[in-house]
Amino acid sequence: MLERIILKNLSVNENYLRKVIPFVQPEYFQDSAEKIVFKSIVSFVQKYNSLPTKEALELDISEQTGLGEEDHKRAVAIVRDINNVEENDLQWLLDETEKFCQDKAIQNAIMDSIHILEGKHKSKTKNNIPEILSDALGISFDSNIGHDFIENYEERYEYYHRVEEKVPFDIELLNKITRGGVSKKSLSIILAGTGVGKTLAMTHFAAANLSMGKNVLYITLEMAEEKIAERIDANLLNITIPDLTVLPRDLYERKISKLRENTQGKLIIKEYPTATAHVGHFRHLLNELNLKKNFIPDIIYIDYLNICMSSRIKQGSNVNSYTYIKSIAEELRGMSVEKNVPIISATQTTRSGYTNSDPGLEDTSESFGLPATADFMIAMVRSEELDDLNQILIKQLKNRYSDPSINKRFVIGVDRTKMRLYDCEQSAQSDVSEDKPLMDKTGFGKRQNEEDQMEWATRTMGRKDFSKFNFE
């Protein structure tokens, strides 16, 4: 019944035709005669870009070869019945047609999957089944074909004055450079060397989000769930990690109860073995959490990107690291858009970047495709001088929220025993130059500078007297 309504309206309702013709497929029609009529309608529209007439459809069907007499007779009967169209509400028609397409796509995907499992499919294997089902479940009518600059000025004005919903940091300068926090549908990356504090930063931000009443999902592929929870415990309960092991049970329970009273949010920590999970697993986890715990995250942390798998590129296939890591980054950002949630992850510096006092995007390990995909990216720098001051240097590398040259470098405080970050006093920022790396003032920077000058002198002068060079 609905198939006939669709065919009739495709022939007489131009507004309906142009909205649904890109989405309806011939295989959605089980009846052979209805499929013939649909193909004739599509053929006419593609050729003449207008509504088909009844006469044109009849002629096209009559000229088709290979049609059985019964199919030809029934197809012509459908065309002749086109004028008997009851007037229907356009939105109702669109909604029903969309539901029809979704149902048919899922039915066809299930049948294809069964054929694959039975070995009856010539080109596809079991590995194609998740993609087939995912494509079917993703069927929807997207009527947006672009922004008309002149006609849609009102929408644009409303956008300029709309307050965007963001997930804020608890660090003042991070909120300043992001204009209030990370946006939904975004991928943010922390770049740092081993031991600098990537996981410390992410666990701190996750703890802060929980305190704000946000739902937080923390996915770890590096550390055990218990180790991540231990760091968040130290942060939220204001207790050093060593003291957690000797804390009396009743005191620990009181602190957790107080925390429960002060937040409406939830924090879920999920561990995957290193290099065994990709966005397909993460989507499945999100669906499970929604069904079983009624949990929808406001923000997702993934620790960390480089040790995820790609869902598109088979592990062990002959691809370079640039392509593989870029693929992972694109998939994570795609999931952030699909789920309407910000994702924060991390990546390592290169070996040279680890000793670089002024890291840049070029110091991203394995793939420059990662910073090309990220919306927001910062580097964390650690040095002997900064350790003495309990500080970490933050440098903006990429920022789609504001100008990254403003507050390009700044320091934040760090308490490593409690896995906490905090704002430094404004006076601490006075020593941070916008042009010169902070580490040049440290003992490490001095030694690095001496080594660089010695290497240059050796190359240019050979084994001569270096006494005239000032290495101080």
Side-chain angles (χ1 to χ4, degrees):
M1 177 64 178
L2 183 58
E3 287 89 335
R4 295 295 178 93
I5 294 175
I6 292 172
L7 291 174
K8 289 178 179 180
N9 281 278
L10 285 174
S11 303
V12 299
N13 189 332
E14 185 170 1
N15 197 7
Y16 172 79
L17 167 74
R18 299 196 181 277
K19 287 181 182 293
V20 307
I21 199 70
F23 307 105
V24 184
Q25 302 298 324
E27 58 265 25
Y28 295 166
F29 295 89
Q30 302 300 318
D31 184 88
S32 56
E34 292 173 348
K35 187 179 296 186
I36 292 167
V37 174
F38 176 75
K39 287 181 177 180
S40 292
I41 293 172
V42 172
S43 176
F44 186 93
V45 172
Q46 289 176 341
K47 190 173 183 179
Y48 300 105
N49 194 29
S50 63
L51 287 172
T53 63
K54 183 172 66 173
E55 292 76 17
L57 291 177
E58 281 194 46
L59 181 60
D60 180 72
I61 293 169
S62 298
E63 292 177 348
Q64 291 184 31
T65 59
L67 294 184
E69 183 178 350
E70 181 64 24
D71 285 341
H72 178 272
K73 186 184 299 184
R74 291 195 300 115
V76 170
I78 293 172
V79 171
R80 290 175 177 174
D81 190 44
I82 279 174
N83 286 341
N84 301 321
V85 181
E86 296 180 5
E87 187 173 343
N88 293 294
D89 178 78
L90 178 60
Q91 190 57 51
W92 177 86
L93 275 173
L94 293 173
D95 291 343
E96 290 299 313
T97 306
E98 182 177 30
K99 185 175 181 298
F100 165 79
C101 292
Q102 290 170 343
D103 291 344
K104 293 298 181 181
I106 293 172
Q107 290 176 19
N108 293 342
I110 292 173
M111 293 304 298
D112 284 346
S113 300
I114 292 173
H115 290 154
I116 290 171
L117 291 172
E118 292 176 345
K120 296 179 180 179
H121 207 290
K122 295 181 180 180
S123 59
K124 294 182 179 179
T125 66
K126 294 178 182 178
N127 294 331
N128 298 114
I129 292 177
E131 182 182 357
I132 293 170
L133 294 174
S134 177
D135 290 344
L137 291 169
I139 293 292
S140 65
F141 287 6
D142 183 2
S143 58
N144 181 16
I145 55 173
H147 177 82
D148 189 314
F149 185 83
I150 301 299
E151 297 298 327
N152 300 136
Y153 73 91
E154 291 183 346
E155 297 175 13
R156 194 163 63 251
Y157 182 84
E158 291 297 326
Y159 170 78
Y160 294 154
H161 294 81
R162 186 185 308 138
V163 178
E164 185 180 6
E165 185 179 352
K166 292 191 170 188
V167 178
F169 297 99
D170 65 334
I171 303 296
E172 181 181 351
L173 277 170
L174 286 176
N175 280 330
K176 185 175 181 180
I177 64 176
T178 56
R179 296 184 178 178
V182 289
S183 299
K184 295 182 176 182
K185 304 180 181 181
S186 67
L187 175 64
S188 302
I189 299 294
I190 300 170
L191 171 70
T194 301
V196 173
K198 299 185 296 296
T199 300
L200 185 155
M202 286 195 287
T203 52
H204 169 83
F205 295 146
N209 296 148
L210 177 63
S211 298
M212 297 171 191
K214 303 293 185 182
N215 284 341
V216 183
L217 174 60
Y218 196 107
I219 297 173
T220 173
L221 294 96
E222 185 177 36
M223 300 177 67
E225 294 175 357
E226 295 79 8
K227 286 294 183 182
I228 297 297
E230 179 184 51
R231 292 178 173 222
I232 295 174
D233 259 336
N235 182 293
L236 290 174
L237 305 184
N238 194 27
I239 298 174
T240 66
I241 288 180
D243 287 343
L244 279 172
T245 59
V246 296
L247 185 69
R249 184 185 184 90
D250 60 337
L251 180 56
Y252 178 74
E253 290 178 347
R254 287 202 300 272
K255 285 181 174 290
I256 293 295
S257 296
K258 185 176 180 180
L259 175 64
R260 182 184 291 114
E261 293 172 0
N262 292 333
T263 182
Q264 298 298 315
K266 291 182 179 180
L267 171 61
I268 303 293
I269 306 168
K270 173 61 179 175
E271 175 190 357
Y272 290 96
T274 302
T276 63
H278 52 65
V279 292
H281 299 92
F282 303 155
R283 287 191 180 98
H284 178 74
L285 172 63
L286 290 169
N287 291 334
E288 290 286 293
L289 289 172
N290 189 12
L291 289 172
K292 296 178 179 179
K293 287 181 172 287
N294 193 28
F295 175 88
I296 300 175
D298 296 304
I299 188 168
I300 299 173
Y301 293 87
I302 299 177
D303 191 2
Y304 62 96
L305 184 145
N306 295 63
I307 53 178
C308 293
M309 286 175 60
S310 169
S311 64
R312 294 180 294 175
I313 300 176
K314 187 176 181 181
Q315 197 171 25
S317 57
N318 188 25
V319 294
N320 55 44
S321 62
Y322 173 90
T323 303
Y324 194 74
I325 299 302
K326 187 174 189 294
S327 176
I328 296 172
E330 290 171 345
E331 290 162 16
L332 289 178
R333 194 178 187 284
M335 187 177 76
S336 75
V337 174
E338 175 189 338
K339 300 299 182 181
N340 194 33
V341 63
I343 294 178
I344 296 180
S345 190
T347 188
Q348 296 273 17
T349 59
T350 59
R351 185 171 60 179
S352 60
Y354 182 72
T355 58
N356 191 350
S357 62
D358 190 37
L361 292 175
E362 70 278 2
D363 292 306
T364 306
S365 68
E366 297 188 274
S367 176
F368 196 75
L370 172 53
T373 305
D375 299 281
F376 177 64
M377 192 166 178
I378 58 173
M380 298 176 63
V381 179
R382 182 178 180 180
S383 71
E384 294 173 358
E385 182 185 68
L386 289 168
D387 283 348
D388 292 339
L389 297 172
N390 294 321
Q391 293 175 354
I392 288 180
L393 175 70
I394 303 294
K395 179 187 176 184
Q396 293 190 65
L397 300 179
K398 182 178 181 181
N399 192 341
R400 287 177 174 167
Y401 302 112
S402 61
D403 185 353
S405 64
I406 301 174
N407 294 305
K408 185 177 181 179
R409 297 184 184 86
F410 55 92
V411 292
I412 59 176
V414 57
D415 183 349
R416 294 184 184 276
T417 63
K418 297 180 180 178
M419 296 292 145
R420 280 186 166 185
L421 303 176
Y422 54 88
D423 290 307
C424 290
E425 295 182 1
Q426 187 59 40
S427 58
Q429 310 299 339
S430 60
D431 293 332
V432 182
S433 169
E434 291 292 309
D435 302 313
K436 188 176 182 182
L438 181 65
M439 199 182 290
D440 283 353
K441 304 175 183 178
T442 67
F444 175 83
K446 180 181 177 182
R447 292 196 303 274
Q448 186 68 34
N449 188 45
E450 290 174 355
E451 292 172 5
D452 291 343
Q453 291 192 46
M454 286 289 290
E455 182 182 353
W456 177 83
T458 302
R459 288 199 310 267
T460 56
M461 300 187 64
R463 297 182 179 276
K464 295 185 178 181
D465 181 19
F466 300 146
S467 60
K468 64 179 180 179
F469 289 93
N470 179 20
F471 293 129
E472 296 299 324

